[in-house]
Amino acid sequence: MDYYRDLREYLSTLEEKGKLVRMSRAINKDTELHPLVRWQFRGLPEDKRKAFLFEKVTDAKNRTYDIPVLVAAHAASDDVYALGMMCSVEQIFEKWTKALLHPVEPRLVSSGPVHDVVMTGDELTKEGGGLEKFPIPISTPGFDNAPYTTASCWVTKDPDTGQRNMGVYRGMVKSRTRIGVCVLPTQHISAHWKKCLEKGIPLEAAAVIGATPCISYSAVSKVPYGVDEYAVSGGIAGAPIELVKCKTVDIEVPATAEIVLEGKIPTEYLEREAPFGEFTGYMGNMLMNCYMDITCITHRQQPIYTSFISQFCPSESSKLKQMAWEPMLYKFLKYDCNIPTVLDVALYEISGCWNFGVIKMKKDHPAQTWQALFAINAFDPAMGKIFIAVDEDIDARDSESVIWALSYRMRPGIDTHITTGKASSLDFSATPPGELSRTGSTFTEPSGRGSLLIDATRKHAYTPVALPQKEFMERARRIWEEEGLPELKPRVPWHGYNLGFWTPENEAEAELALKGDHFATGEKLAQQRIKATLESIGAIADKA
């Protein structure tokens, strides 16, 4: 099967695989919809999470919509994300890396179902028209100050080069024809807007909602400036993404998308935007930010509105970032920075996949650890507060395994380094609430926010890991399974192994114990007694 032609084809797969919940009862988009989906992120194990399709949506004014709302369809879990990538969970990393190394350029076509319905002029401003037509949910009821688009993929162009950029940014609904767009200094859309500001012209834009999954996956990634996210999407799909020209702006959008908002982002004025629930687990700052005047809305017949659930992690948003950014950083370190010993990069969802990361490597030289740590810290001006390097025998994705490495392979006074000069991006420990809106900057003078880099790799040989050897654990597992005991999910390490500091005598004594001949060892040790003194109690035996 080729890649999904549109969101609807993907929905069929979700349902076929038992990963879609159809909600037929009336659900209020302003007070019930996101809270209902939120429960699976606060009350279920990840493998139980699914996508939700709300088929009968109402709002706070008792209006009923004929447009369904889809939530958590892209990244409710690893399994759901893998369905969107059209591969197994184990193949996601490899498929992402291949897409980044071998992008496929998009193809322009003359028409597509995204233009089935075209709304302009009075159709946008009349009651029930424009943005009012769509059941855009409130993400954090009780705290958010409006409905926000959250799965909107904003497409803009560099006014000098014409190079496209696509990124997922929230959009605050302000009127039927005006929507906020969260433009932050570190985002590529900001570079386009600033160029337009200098030229005294608005920035043309289009917000795509409900495209085939690979579009959203590449839109949330951190590809370098100047790389077309549509080409990365094509790399995931293994075929060119078909695009059509917008009706009122010089922007290209996916031909099979569900909804597209076209318009111009002014450069003369800014408006207050937010507060909005953020991935940090706290409500975000009120910002003076950009907005778009909508000139046209196009959509398919009977469109499906798509929403990402974000805020407190884990969430669909954090899973989207984790799945895209980990391969991005892996490719950056291993190929762009020429560190072939990097084996894995793990970003922790509870940090928003932003402030806590672990690099797994099989280092050839002590300098490679610091090369990797300093490189990942430099990848983004705001990303990263704690980065840890661990050995190949540590599970970078298991916090207990990482804490074990920190506890016994890291020397705080030697193996840590604190950097400065970073932006604080929504980190209230560095920039208190309200500071951003007053100063317009996330850079705390005089030296910005710091990052903690930690080398938690072994610096010399260790004794073996204190677990039964692999053959004995495997034999015990076969007995476990034969007895019908609960399914095991092994955690690294699950067996013992040699780390270099182990003598032939140690091995021989262990072999004797396995044969039941340990008395022989006892007799040998009796012949090696030393005179007892206070100093000799607990001393390391010379032969060990």
Side-chain angles (χ1 to χ4, degrees):
M1 176 181 175
D2 295 331
Y3 192 75
Y4 309 109
R5 290 168 294 181
D6 55 21
L7 183 67
R8 301 172 187 210
E9 198 169 82
Y10 173 53
L11 274 181
S12 297
T13 297
L14 286 174
E15 192 151 38
E16 177 187 331
K17 300 295 183 180
K19 292 295 183 180
L20 179 67
V21 176
R22 286 185 177 269
M23 187 66 63
S24 57
R25 67 179 288 172
I27 295 293
N28 188 317
K29 74 175 185 66
D30 297 322
T31 61
E32 297 173 335
L33 196 149
H34 266 241
L36 186 64
V37 182
R38 174 72 56 199
W39 266 117
Q40 72 172 349
F41 291 95
R42 302 311 301 164
L44 285 181
E46 183 177 326
D47 60 358
K48 302 296 183 184
R49 299 178 198 151
K50 299 181 180 182
F52 278 71
L53 183 65
F54 296 91
E55 298 175 317
K56 187 176 181 182
V57 181
T58 64
D59 68 10
K61 294 188 174 181
N62 296 318
R63 287 177 294 198
T64 299
Y65 296 82
D66 59 2
I67 297 173
V69 176
L70 180 66
V71 187
H74 290 73
S77 65
D78 287 355
D79 291 337
V80 170
Y81 191 96
L83 288 175
M85 289 287 282
M86 201 173 276
C87 66
S88 68
V89 172
E90 294 73 24
Q91 293 170 327
I92 292 173
F93 225 78
E94 178 184 351
K95 191 163 187 177
W96 250 116
T97 303
K98 183 178 178 181
L100 293 167
L101 293 172
H102 305 288
V104 177
E105 292 299 318
R107 178 171 60 231
L108 191 66
V109 296
S110 59
S111 63
V114 70
H115 287 160
D116 285 349
V117 178
V118 178
M119 300 165 54
T120 57
D122 292 344
E123 292 174 293
L124 295 173
T125 57
K126 70 181 182 181
E127 185 174 352
L131 291 175
E132 200 171 27
K133 179 175 182 177
F134 303 99
I136 303 172
I138 292 179
S139 295
T140 324
F143 296 105
D144 287 354
N145 61 346
Y148 285 74
T149 64
T150 54
S152 40
C153 302
W154 291 78
V155 186
T156 57
K157 288 183 179 179
D158 185 312
D160 292 329
T161 66
Q163 178 64 51
R164 279 187 299 256
N165 176 73
M166 178 170 59
V168 174
Y169 315 120
R170 68 179 184 242
M172 177 182 174
V173 176
K174 297 185 172 183
S175 78
R176 296 185 184 107
T177 58
R178 194 167 91 262
I179 184 169
V181 51
C182 186
V183 175
L184 297 178
T186 57
Q187 296 164 340
H188 293 164
I189 189 177
S190 175
H192 292 180
W193 185 83
K194 288 175 181 176
K195 286 187 175 183
C196 288
L197 175 64
E198 292 172 357
K199 296 174 183 292
I201 60 173
L203 174 63
E204 294 188 337
V208 178
I209 300 172
T212 190
C214 63
I215 300 293
S216 297
Y217 293 162
S218 61
V220 302
S221 65
K222 285 278 185 180
V223 300
Y225 186 81
V227 174
D228 190 349
E229 283 83 0
Y230 283 141
V232 177
S233 300
I236 296 172
I241 301 299
E242 293 191 342
L243 306 177
V244 293
K245 281 280 190 181
C246 285
K247 296 294 185 179
T248 59
V249 292
D250 183 23
I251 300 289
E252 297 79 31
V253 294
T256 60
E258 295 292 323
I259 303 164
V260 170
L261 315 177
E262 303 179 10
K264 296 181 179 181
I265 302 175
T267 53
E268 303 99 322
Y269 301 103
L270 300 173
E271 291 183 352
R272 181 166 75 80
E273 185 257 359
F276 178 75
E278 287 288 357
F279 67 87
T280 60
Y282 304 100
M283 294 300 296
N285 283 300
M286 295 181 290
L287 308 174
M288 296 306 296
N289 220 321
C290 299
Y291 60 93
M292 183 173 78
D293 290 319
I294 295 173
T295 54
C296 178
I297 298 177
T298 69
H299 63 79
R300 298 182 64 151
Q301 296 287 355
Q302 298 177 316
I304 300 169
Y305 181 82
T306 306
S307 177
F308 292 157
I309 187 163
S310 186
Q311 292 76 50
F312 199 101
C313 299
S315 68
E316 182 180 20
S317 175
S318 63
K319 181 61 66 177
L320 278 166
K321 291 183 211 173
Q322 182 184 54
M323 291 301 188
W325 293 0
E326 287 178 347
M328 187 79 56
L329 290 168
Y330 173 80
K331 179 254 185 188
F332 173 71
L333 294 175
K334 193 177 187 76
Y335 297 102
D336 301 338
C337 296
N338 192 29
I339 315 175
T341 54
V342 170
L343 302 176
D344 193 10
V345 177
L347 301 176
Y348 280 36
E349 280 196 79
I350 193 61
S351 77
C353 297
W354 187 256
N355 273 343
F356 192 99
V358 181
I359 307 167
K360 178 177 177 177
M361 56 195 311
K362 189 174 183 178
K363 63 183 182 184
D364 293 331
H365 190 279
Q368 285 182 326
T369 306
W370 290 107
Q371 181 188 6
L373 287 168
F374 281 114
I376 198 171
N377 188 56
F379 181 79
D380 184 275
M383 181 183 185
K385 193 172 186 179
I386 302 171
F387 287 120
I388 304 169
V390 298
D391 292 301
E392 71 275 12
D393 65 320
I394 298 296
D395 185 348
R397 301 172 184 281
D398 184 340
S399 59
E400 289 193 5
S401 188
V402 173
I403 291 171
W404 180 50
L406 287 171
S407 299
Y408 299 108
R409 301 184 183 186
M410 181 270 294
R411 302 158 296 180
I414 302 173
D415 298 326
T416 61
H417 187 91
I418 296 175
T419 70
T420 57
K422 302 202 79 169
S424 61
S425 188
L426 296 171
D427 183 357
F428 291 155
S429 70
T431 307
E435 288 295 314
L436 174 62
S437 59
R438 286 200 295 273
T439 65
S441 173
T442 58
F443 192 87
T444 307
E445 297 297 343
S447 56
R449 195 206 64 185
S451 293
L452 175 61
L453 311 181
I454 303 174
D455 177 0
T457 62
R458 298 186 309 276
K459 317 306 183 295
H460 43 255
Y462 276 41
T463 58
V465 172
L467 288 168
Q469 285 185 344
K470 187 176 182 180
E471 62 178 296
F472 306 114
M473 288 298 289
E474 288 178 335
R475 184 184 305 167
R477 185 172 184 177
R478 287 194 294 270
I479 296 171
W480 179 282
E481 292 171 348
E482 288 168 3
E483 291 299 310
L485 295 170
E487 181 182 358
L488 294 171
K489 295 182 178 180
R491 303 181 70 175
V492 173
W494 56 267
H495 64 84
Y497 45 91
N498 195 336
L499 290 174
F501 193 83
W502 203 238
T503 68
E505 184 179 19
N506 296 146
E507 292 180 0
E509 290 176 358
E511 285 295 323
L512 287 173
L514 290 175
K515 296 175 182 177
D517 294 334
H518 48 283
F519 284 173
T521 300
E523 291 174 6
K524 177 185 70 173
L525 299 183
Q527 301 302 315
Q528 298 175 355
R529 291 173 183 165
I530 63 172
K531 188 68 176 179
T533 65
L534 289 175
E535 291 77 16
S536 64
I537 293 293
I540 300 294
D542 289 341
K543 289 190 176 182

